Amino acid sequence: MDIQDLAVDIPAEGEHAMEGIDFITSGEQYLTFLLANEQYAVDILCVEEIRSWEVPTKIPNAPGYIKGVINMRGVIVPIVDLRLKFKIGEANYQETTVVIVLTYNVNDSSRTIGFVVDAVSDVLNVETNEIQNSPAFGGCVQPQYIDGLINVGKNVVTLLNVEQLQKVEQHAATH
Amino acid sequence: MSVDLSQFIPSFLEESFEGLELMESSLLDLKAGDHETIHSIFRAAHSIKGGAGTFGFESVTEFTHLVETLLDEMRDGRREVDPKDIEILLTSVDCMRLLIEAARDDEEYDEEKVNQTTRQLAQTLVNEDGTGESSASVKNSHNNASASDNDTEQLSTFKIHFVPEHNLAKTGNDPLFLFNALADLGELTTIANTSELPALTDIDPQELYLSWDLTLTTTASEADINEVFEWVEDECHLEITKAGDDNSAELAQAEQEPVEVEEPTQESQQQSSPPLPVEADEVAQPADIQKSDSKPKAKAKVEVSSIRVGVDKVDSLINLVGELVITQSMLSELGSDFQMDKLERLTSGLEQLLQNTKELQESVMRIRMLPISFAFNRFPRLVHDLANKTGKEMELVIKGEQTELDKTVMEQIGDPLVHLVRNAVDHGIEPSEVRLANGKSAKGTIALDAYHQGGNIVIEIADDGGGINREKVFAKAVEKGIVEPNSTLNDSQVFDLLFEPGFSTADQVTDISGRGVGMDVVKRNIQSLGGRIQVESTIGEGSCFKVNLPLTLAILDGQLVKVGTETYIIPLISIVESLQVDKELLNKVSGDMTLYRLRDENVPILPVYQLFGLTTDFTEIDNALLVVVEADGQKVGLMVDHLLAQQQVVIKSLKDNYQQVIGISGATILGDGSVAMILDIPGMIQMALSSAQTNPTNGKLRQRNIREHS
């Protein structure tokens, strides 16, 4: 095929949208996932990888929601079950159970932790002004983990604070 | 044209510290008339001075200049090398180290010590130096410093007469760069003197025939101008005159004289370095001095830790990687079209791969290895100083200094070794009279030796002194209440008492040792590195401390054990023995504590499943296995389900992504890709102790386990 033809094949802007792909416009992107029937989201730039559930090696005397550690290409990564941590739904492990591995950088050092969730659902484009403050009452999820709420159609997605999530075991120690 | 000089500072510091070490060791070896050694000391000092000047560490430059002057006199044979001067020079080396460290951390230094040494140096130079020339330069450097304070603000005009030597360009210098640097300081007019220019046919294009008269109007001080010429001051004739101030011209000239002598060091140094960076350094210098001065403290504190690796080690690594690539391509070719008849080739290929990985692992480890001479190097000086202090005669014999050791281990073993050597000098070696009376030579010997033994390195610190008085140690231990008066101990058990906290048999506490703090710390430090220490001693003949250390902290020999579904690794070094339980030797004491009679010792049993809250079928002692481990002198029996293989494991930290876990020293990745925890024996014993002390929780834990397993 000639290079000229290739150029013709590329659709001009606005001519015909590519089906099934929402083109990135602006704002931030968030990965949403399910805990029981509730939707949650984390900043997509923190997501290192999404992997299927595997039985981790137990850490002695760790809190119940810390399932253990796994070997991720030579790096020892702790696994936290968010359903147990937030007391949402049941912690059963099936084929659809996935682990979202998040990396967060704090002053030169980075921490990598895997979080067990029921399923990964979507990637959201959200403008900053679309993020609402969360109501300050109730719920099993401690307020420090929540950054805000996002309305998606009829559903509400809870935006989680990755920085706080990465300190999950420090919170455990103080409890 | 300005180059950020600060990027070179770390290498300057590294080289300076190496230079100081060289100076120190050479000074200790220095004998009268040994010109080669004096030369090398002088070269080291000169490089430090030059570098410090470039980076604007004025305190270092000034001080080193004095040292250099003294060394210069020795080098030229104008001064005899006598022990007193060497003492002063050794103190000077300490001061230089102090100053460089202060410059590195941007901190204050112990001014009194430096001033005192400066005075001593100056005095030595004045007293025994007939010409008085160098004392003038001492004054000068001070004058310069004060002059620079006064002159900074006002505009002044300097006349500079600059006559470079013909071969200036060969050392990588270019007058044009110098003039550019000067022009940066202020307004510059240049008049070239072409009178020495030969006829065109005779000109050697590599030589310089010109000289210049420069007029500079600037706010900069004379010291700033001198700095521009810092690198060429030995290869030119330089006169700096402040307009309307003839006095300073003489001073400036006087200062140049002591160093104007032909200096092979400077030249060789400059020739060996590529010419361009040297010039760049020069020009950027005036601007950069202020920059480095005003640098924030925090930034200066960042220590760069680097290792110098021999090219041969890197080459062997590259070779091995090459082989690995070949093996890999061989295997993938085999795999793309595999039939059963190629099985033999596959096995041999895999064997080759195993070989390659093993060698690769070894060579990577070797990169972290440094010869132990890095740790031993400080001892000649230490023993020299201690000998002076105690008035005992002794010599230090160092063997096996090429034995290699992991860098981390090396850094942590330094202090314990110093302690052991101090002890050997203070307690071990007797005064000469006593030695002679006992039929020994007047001079005591302290021997340091290092060698490999299996996967370990053994460091021996031996002295031929009085040895350890067994009875005295025992009596002292009884007095301190560490042992019972009627207990019977063998020699090694008695000597182990030396490592008890607060134990000292020295009749007199000296400022070197004898306060009883230390030996326990030494033992703890060595144990925290996974090593152990042994003492051998014969009364009247001397003692020997043997330190046994693992070669590296990155790899560990481990015993894999199974508890429930989990696999754990017990460091092989802490295992005393593994055994099947003989029911008759079990004893229950104090309610629920189970002891196992191991020969004459009663070893408490720690069920690992209980400690870590695991479920297992092996909850009864009589069908489980016991791994007897020892830490901090305490033996315990770990109850496990099965013993698996023994293997080397690579230690990975849990702290990177998680946190320290009590009872676990780290994790590792097994052959099947799964993670296994490495047990921290001292931590586990601590765990058991603390749970025994808080009895209610202990009871609860036990109950929970009973419920789970019933």
Side-chain angles (χ1 to χ4, degrees):
Chain A
M1 193 188 270
D2 198 83
I3 192 103
Q4 297 291 328
D5 301 331
L6 264 178
V8 172
D9 269 7
I10 295 171
E13 207 180 335
E15 204 175 357
H16 37 124
M18 280 189 147
E19 275 173 46
I21 300 173
D22 296 322
F23 259 107
I24 303 158
T25 46
S26 63
E28 302 286 324
Q29 284 198 307
Y30 295 93
L31 178 78
T32 66
F33 54 88
L34 288 175
L35 297 178
N37 296 321
E38 298 173 12
Q39 290 208 30
Y40 290 85
V42 288
D43 186 349
I44 205 162
L45 294 178
C46 297
V47 179
E48 180 88 18
E49 69 178 65
I50 298 168
R51 48 194 296 143
S52 56
W53 163 259
E54 59 181 294
V55 180
T57 302
K58 282 182 193 151
I59 301 173
N61 302 323
Y65 57 84
I66 294 175
K67 302 306 292 178
V69 289
I70 58 161
N71 160 28
M72 191 178 93
R73 293 184 297 277
V75 182
I76 306 283
V77 177
I79 301 295
V80 175
D81 194 324
L82 267 192
R83 300 166 299 182
L84 289 173
K85 171 69 190 163
F86 292 159
K87 303 190 184 69
I88 298 164
E90 276 176 41
N92 46 13
Y93 302 97
Q94 297 155 347
E95 277 181 17
T96 54
T97 308
V98 288
V99 176
I100 302 176
V101 181
L102 300 179
T103 300
Y104 189 79
N105 296 306
V106 207
N107 323 320
D108 300 343
S109 70
S110 77
R111 285 167 71 90
T112 305
I113 299 182
F115 293 92
V116 184
V117 300
D118 279 323
V120 170
S121 44
D122 205 356
V123 176
L124 278 184
N125 288 312
V126 181
E127 300 283 346
T128 326
N129 56 15
E130 288 177 62
I131 300 172
Q132 304 165 3
N133 286 338
S134 67
F137 52 83
C140 298
V141 186
Q142 290 99 319
Q144 79 247 29
Y145 294 118
I146 302 178
D147 259 359
L149 299 175
I150 307 162
N151 288 341
V152 181
K154 286 177 186 166
N155 296 327
V156 171
V157 176
T158 312
L159 181 56
L160 294 175
N161 183 328
V162 179
E163 186 180 355
Q164 291 297 326
L165 279 180
Q166 299 297 72
K167 293 182 191 160
V168 91
E169 87 284 344
Q170 268 118 315
H171 295 151
T174 55
H175 282 185
Chain B
M1 195 54 223
S2 97
V3 173
D4 184 11
L5 269 193
S6 59
Q7 61 177 316
F8 301 116
I9 289 180
S11 22
F12 160 68
L13 291 171
E14 207 169 301
E15 274 170 25
S16 299
F17 288 125
E18 272 170 30
L20 287 174
E21 252 166 48
L22 178 89
M23 283 175 75
E24 197 174 274
S25 58
S26 312
L27 278 169
L28 289 171
D29 288 345
L30 188 60
K31 288 174 200 72
D34 184 355
H35 287 289
E36 201 42 57
T37 315
I38 298 180
H39 274 296
S40 72
I41 299 172
F42 183 86
R43 270 196 296 274
H46 191 77
S47 308
I48 294 173
K49 183 182 126 182
T54 310
F55 294 108
F57 300 140
E58 276 161 40
S59 53
V60 183
T61 325
E62 259 176 49
F63 188 84
T64 315
H65 182 74
L66 284 178
V67 178
E68 208 187 53
T69 317
L70 184 62
L71 285 168
D72 191 36
E73 286 179 14
M74 288 183 176
R75 191 179 62 156
D76 292 356
R78 274 180 284 157
R79 173 189 290 278
E80 287 297 308
V81 178
D82 84 78
K84 221 177 80 209
D85 291 345
I86 293 182
E87 258 347 283
I88 292 174
L89 284 170
L90 280 172
T91 335
S92 309
V93 170
D94 290 342
C95 285
M96 281 162 72
R97 187 171 289 136
L98 215 64
L99 287 166
I100 295 174
E101 277 168 4
R104 174 190 65 189
D105 302 337
D106 209 359
E107 269 178 357
E108 294 299 309
Y109 49 87
D110 184 359
E111 264 184 58
E112 200 178 314
K113 185 174 180 195
V114 176
N115 284 342
Q116 198 188 338
T117 319
T118 315
R119 269 198 304 279
Q120 273 181 348
L121 270 172
Q123 219 168 20
T124 320
L125 286 167
V126 174
N127 280 354
E128 297 172 33
D129 186 40
T131 62
E133 170 187 56
S134 26
S135 62
S137 82
V138 177
K139 278 188 212 127
N140 273 334
S141 60
H142 284 275
N143 276 357
N144 270 347
S146 60
S148 66
D149 290 339
N150 299 335
D151 292 354
T152 36
E153 288 313 313
Q154 73 223 45
L155 208 64
S156 42
T157 310
F158 292 94
K159 284 195 188 307
I160 303 160
H161 183 60
F162 175 55
V163 188
E165 279 173 19
H166 290 319
N167 59 4
L168 183 79
K170 280 187 181 162
T171 59
N173 290 297
D174 182 343
L176 190 58
F177 285 122
L178 298 176
F179 300 158
N180 276 335
L182 283 175
D184 285 344
L185 293 176
E187 200 180 314
L188 183 74
T189 23
T190 351
I191 299 157
N193 179 359
T194 53
S195 57
E196 279 186 49
L197 206 62
L200 194 58
T201 44
D202 300 333
I203 280 186
D204 177 348
Q206 294 188 353
E207 301 263 303
L208 259 178
Y209 301 96
L210 300 176
S211 60
W212 286 271
D213 281 307
L214 310 156
T215 316
L216 179 68
T217 313
T218 175
T219 53
S221 68
E222 195 177 320
D224 291 334
I225 300 172
N226 267 322
E227 266 168 26
V228 172
F229 290 102
E230 180 109 42
W231 286 99
V232 290
E233 66 182 9
D234 303 328
E235 283 112 15
C236 71
H237 180 75
L238 186 67
E239 276 174 49
I240 303 175
T241 331
K242 196 171 168 184
D245 181 7
D246 290 352
N247 191 23
S248 70
E250 282 165 30
L251 282 175
Q253 211 176 345
E255 195 194 10
Q256 296 309 322
E257 263 159 28
V259 278
E260 214 182 24
V261 209
E262 186 67 21
E263 278 175 25
T265 43
Q266 175 90 355
E267 274 180 49
S268 62
Q269 183 197 355
Q270 292 195 343
Q271 275 163 357
S272 63
S273 56
L276 261 174
V278 176
E279 289 164 1
D281 284 1
E282 250 160 59
V283 182
Q285 186 186 310
D288 212 80
I289 289 157
Q290 277 128 19
K291 214 191 279 173
S292 57
D293 279 349
S294 61
K295 206 162 38 168
K297 257 188 176 182
K299 199 183 165 195
K301 278 240 163 164
V302 177
E303 262 191 64
V304 184
S305 84
S306 59
I307 8 179
R308 290 187 171 205
V309 181
V311 181
D312 54 328
K313 286 183 180 176
V314 178
D315 280 349
S316 85
L317 206 56
I318 291 171
N319 278 339
L320 285 171
V321 172
E323 272 179 53
L324 192 68
V325 170
I326 295 168
T327 316
Q328 183 267 331
S329 65
M330 190 260 274
L331 282 173
S332 61
E333 188 194 298
L334 201 63
S336 64
D337 175 30
F338 186 74
Q339 276 137 21
M340 274 320 274
D341 58 326
K342 290 182 183 163
L343 190 65
E344 203 175 314
R345 272 184 64 200
L346 179 71
T347 359
S348 78
L350 288 173
E351 224 159 74
Q352 206 175 323
L353 186 68
L354 178 81
Q355 200 63 35
N356 287 156
T357 7
K358 240 187 203 164
E359 278 172 21
L360 198 60
Q361 184 195 17
E362 272 167 24
S363 349
V364 172
M365 284 301 157
R366 265 205 295 279
I367 286 192
R368 284 188 62 86
M369 299 291 211
L370 294 173
I372 197 155
S373 55
F374 281 84
F376 279 0
N377 270 349
R378 61 172 109 168
F379 291 117
R381 174 72 192 279
L382 183 80
V383 171
H384 172 89
D385 284 0
L386 289 177
N388 280 352
K389 219 178 213 169
T390 54
K392 296 174 185 175
E393 277 182 66
M394 64 193 80
E395 62 174 342
L396 180 71
V397 182
I398 293 180
K399 277 193 288 185
E401 63 259 60
Q402 286 309 316
T403 315
E404 292 194 328
L405 183 61
D406 190 281
K407 188 171 178 278
T408 345
V409 183
M410 180 101 66
E411 279 162 2
Q412 293 177 43
I413 196 62
D415 290 339
L417 285 184
V418 168
H419 202 94
L420 289 172
V421 170
R422 278 167 172 267
N423 265 338
V425 172
D426 205 33
H427 302 314
I429 304 286
E430 322 92 316
S432 308
E433 310 86 63
V434 181
R435 290 185 65 88
L436 287 172
N438 287 340
K440 297 190 206 173
S441 63
K443 217 173 191 182
T445 309
I446 291 176
L448 284 173
D449 193 3
Y451 52 89
H452 284 164
Q453 197 175 62
N456 291 329
I457 183 169
V458 182
I459 304 170
E460 287 185 4
I461 301 102
D463 63 69
D464 65 346
I468 301 167
N469 189 333
R470 191 184 182 284
E471 305 311 319
K472 206 165 151 189
V473 173
F474 188 74
K476 195 85 176 184
V478 171
E479 186 192 314
K480 296 242 171 192
I482 301 169
V483 290
E484 292 298 314
N486 50 1
S487 52
T488 46
L489 300 173
N490 61 28
D491 276 5
S492 77
Q493 279 169 322
V494 171
F495 294 147
D496 275 347
L497 292 171
L498 293 172
F499 300 106
E500 291 293 325
F503 198 92
S504 173
T505 53
D507 300 323
Q508 263 186 330
V509 172
T510 67
D511 63 342
I512 302 171
S513 60
R515 283 179 214 282
V517 212
M519 283 307 257
D520 58 320
V521 180
V522 168
K523 188 171 187 185
R524 234 193 356 260
N525 284 351
I526 290 169
Q527 277 176 342
S528 72
L529 287 169
R532 56 178 197 275
I533 180 164
Q534 286 171 299
V535 191
E536 286 165 19
S537 180
T538 318
I539 201 138
E541 281 175 28
S543 346
C544 176
F545 287 78
K546 267 190 188 176
V547 180
N548 220 308
L549 289 169
L551 279 182
T552 167
L553 295 180
I555 287 191
L556 172 137
D557 277 308
Q559 167 73 53
L560 273 61
V561 297
K562 193 118 192 151
V563 181
T565 52
E566 302 292 311
T567 305
Y568 291 103
I569 290 151
I570 302 175
L572 219 48
I573 193 162
S574 56
I575 298 182
V576 180
E577 61 183 285
S578 308
L579 46 94
Q580 210 142 23
V581 175
D582 180 351
K583 258 193 201 165
E584 290 179 4
L585 297 174
L586 287 171
N587 288 300
K588 290 247 179 198
V589 290
S590 67
D592 200 30
M593 184 76 160
T594 315
L595 293 181
Y596 188 79
R597 176 75 60 81
L598 182 69
R599 289 174 286 277
D600 353 320
E601 275 181 278
N602 281 313
V603 180
I605 294 179
L606 292 184
V608 177
Y609 79 93
Q610 232 172 48
L611 218 51
F612 287 169
L614 302 165
T615 26
T616 169
D617 299 332
F618 296 81
T619 52
E620 290 305 314
I621 287 178
D622 36 313
N623 62 6
L625 287 169
L626 215 54
V627 180
V628 182
V629 293
E630 184 174 6
D632 302 334
Q634 168 79 47
K635 282 199 183 84
V636 294
L638 298 178
M639 199 176 107
V640 299
D641 299 359
H642 297 291
L643 287 180
L644 306 174
Q646 280 181 10
Q647 71 176 65
Q648 279 202 333
V649 295
V650 179
I651 302 170
K652 304 242 172 191
S653 163
L654 275 177
K655 265 192 288 188
D656 288 350
N657 291 320
Y658 189 60
Q659 61 185 18
Q660 193 67 49
V661 179
I662 303 163
I664 299 289
S665 62
T668 192
I669 293 161
L670 298 179
D672 61 355
S674 66
V675 181
M677 300 283 168
I678 301 166
L679 299 183
D680 169 27
I681 304 301
M684 287 182 75
I685 292 173
Q686 209 58 47
M687 248 172 114
L689 282 180
S690 60
S691 77
Q693 272 157 9
T694 54
N695 235 344
T697 19
N698 192 22
K700 225 189 284 166
L701 180 88
R702 218 176 299 129
Q703 266 172 13
R704 200 186 68 203
N705 280 309
I706 289 163
R707 238 183 301 128
E708 274 173 14
H709 307 307
S710 55

